[in-house]
Amino acid sequence: MKLFLRNASSITLNPKLASTILPSILVKPFSQSTTIPKKQDRVRDHGYDNYMEVEKKIRKVIKFHSLILSQPNNTIAISLLDTLARRLGLGFKQHEPGAFLLKFPHVFEIYEHPVQRILYARLTRKALDQIRDEHEALLSQIPDAVTRLRKLVMMSNTGRIRLEHVRIARTEFGLPEDFEYSVVLKHPEFFRLIDAEETRDKYIEIVERDSSLTICAIERVREIEYRTKGIDAEDVRFSFVVNFPPGFKIGKYFRIAVWKWQRLPYWSPYEDISGYDLRSMEAQNRLEKRAVACIHELLSLTLEKKITLERIAHFRNVMNLPKKLKEFLLQHQGIFYISTRGNYGKLHTVFLREAYKRGELVEPNDVYLARRRLAELVLMSPRKAKVDAELVSYRNGLDDEDDIE
């Protein structure tokens, strides 16, 4: 029997050998690996990207919030906006800050000073109410924030985390601005502050590990899946909730790889793995899945189930996370979503996909709801603000007529 090769040369094979060699040569080369590919292209999910576009507006609005509230009588002259906005690095050109405030009449009110006859800006009553509601919600959930911080420190492989890294991400974890004193030092039974002259050298250390706090959020999800949907215990034991973005192509072998990965055992994010031998291939696979669990738990500890990739990187060493975090997360686009919108492409925001449905948190909290009210004010039509003002004037006119009668 003859087998023809690329160079048009031929060789003669024994018929018995041909039956075993031919299939392996003639089959089209194709990877049948059951491991999830290391490199994958990011598939956009416009729902999350649109969410971040709104966040971009909100961040600028909040900066003007702080600017106005820092001024005497919580008002600021429009003529000073250009100079102060330039100091804050808001990226506005001349006269643009004033035009920006006019876009959000439900948040900012432009009025003429009765004596000086110049234009001033202040926050509307709705905006002030929103700030008050968010502050009250933040204070009321401090006991939960203490628990979240305990869990965060317990995930560290050394039992301590740099204070500066927590401070940078305090908004995401629902910690007050003075958390070093109101949370860490106020609870010496939970935390030990390793002090230093410079803030960057301070550490938060856990006093004692609490086994009741080592239950991960994904474990509670699995229990619900098992009880409500009747999924087989072996199928759900080590699995994660996977929802791929629209347009994500799932091939046959990729599906098999995900199926096998879902059943791969791994170590808990709260488990000490310092004494384990991690040199084998199986141990490396378990370590990679543990990293997914760590990031999943980290996102679950945030109020809005999202945080920037750069802030996750701050905890990379203490949580044994991979160096190339972006590529690693792109391997698991059914669990996480990375958005580059809303940050001018400079930062990447990581969402926990299972926590969101139709652009809203599945389990909202009071702080999240208060922050969303600001988004509603930002997105509310300027026309509605004009109508509201006309209605107020109309009612005032009726009141005046009643007084005359």
Side-chain angles (χ1 to χ4, degrees), residues 19-274:
S19 63
T20 58
I21 296 176
L22 272 173
S24 62
I25 297 178
L26 296 179
V27 172
K28 181 180 177 181
F30 190 87
S31 174
Q32 298 186 19
S33 172
T34 53
T35 59
I36 297 177
K38 297 291 183 184
K39 290 187 177 181
Q40 293 186 40
D41 295 330
R42 183 167 63 89
V43 177
R44 286 196 177 277
D45 192 322
H46 296 290
Y48 293 99
D49 287 340
N50 293 339
Y51 186 102
M52 289 308 302
E53 287 296 335
V54 176
E55 284 283 307
K56 180 171 69 174
K57 295 179 182 179
I58 291 174
R59 274 194 292 271
K60 282 190 176 182
V61 165
I62 290 175
K63 287 184 178 181
F64 278 108
H65 266 188
S66 304
L67 178 60
I68 292 174
L69 293 176
S70 66
Q71 302 300 308
N73 301 321
N74 298 332
T75 61
I76 185 171
I78 298 297
S79 57
L80 295 176
L81 277 179
D82 286 344
T83 304
L84 295 176
R86 198 178 301 114
R87 288 179 187 174
L88 290 173
L90 296 180
F92 284 110
K93 296 179 182 178
Q94 191 174 9
H95 306 308
E96 284 186 348
F100 178 81
L101 298 190
L102 288 172
K103 293 179 182 178
F104 309 106
H106 295 279
V107 182
F108 305 105
E109 181 183 355
I110 310 296
Y111 69 99
E112 186 181 39
H113 194 280
V115 178
Q116 300 176 2
R117 297 298 179 184
I118 60 175
L119 293 178
Y120 273 79
R122 63 189 173 194
L123 297 179
T124 64
R125 174 52 54 189
K126 290 179 181 179
L128 291 171
D129 290 343
Q130 184 277 327
I131 293 173
R132 186 199 64 237
D133 292 344
E134 182 177 345
H135 180 69
E136 290 176 355
L138 193 65
L139 292 179
S140 66
Q141 59 84 55
I142 281 184
D144 295 331
V146 172
T147 302
R148 287 194 295 270
L149 184 57
R150 290 175 68 190
K151 289 172 73 73
L152 182 67
V153 181
M154 284 171 58
M155 288 173 65
S156 167
N157 52 25
T158 58
R160 65 179 187 176
I161 284 181
R162 198 183 292 271
L163 176 72
E164 180 66 9
H165 293 166
V166 179
R167 186 194 64 78
I168 292 171
R170 67 182 183 278
T171 304
E172 284 83 350
F173 292 113
L175 294 167
E177 192 170 351
D178 64 340
F179 78 95
E180 180 180 347
Y181 306 98
S182 61
V183 174
V184 179
L185 293 177
K186 194 175 181 180
H187 295 87
E189 69 276 20
F190 300 139
F191 308 109
R192 185 184 299 113
L193 183 65
I194 301 176
D195 209 349
E197 291 184 4
E198 296 187 17
T199 305
R200 64 182 180 181
D201 294 327
K202 292 183 179 180
Y203 285 86
I204 305 171
E205 191 173 64
I206 198 74
V207 172
E208 186 177 356
R209 298 181 67 87
D210 187 346
S211 58
S212 65
L213 298 180
T214 59
I215 299 174
C216 296
I218 189 60
E219 295 179 50
R220 292 191 291 270
V221 173
R222 289 172 189 152
E223 185 177 354
I224 294 172
E225 292 277 315
Y226 175 72
R227 294 182 182 278
T228 59
K229 298 184 179 179
I231 300 176
D232 186 73
E234 285 302 316
D235 291 340
V236 78
R237 187 178 177 186
F238 301 109
S239 67
F240 287 79
V241 179
V242 175
N243 296 307
F244 289 104
F248 188 88
K249 296 180 180 180
I250 306 174
K252 174 183 175 182
Y253 295 111
F254 184 84
R255 192 182 300 274
I256 294 173
V258 172
W259 185 88
K260 288 199 170 188
W261 183 87
Q262 288 279 50
R263 286 153 184 76
L264 178 70
Y266 66 95
W267 298 293
S268 168
Y270 297 103
E271 187 174 351
D272 183 11
I273 61 172
S274 58

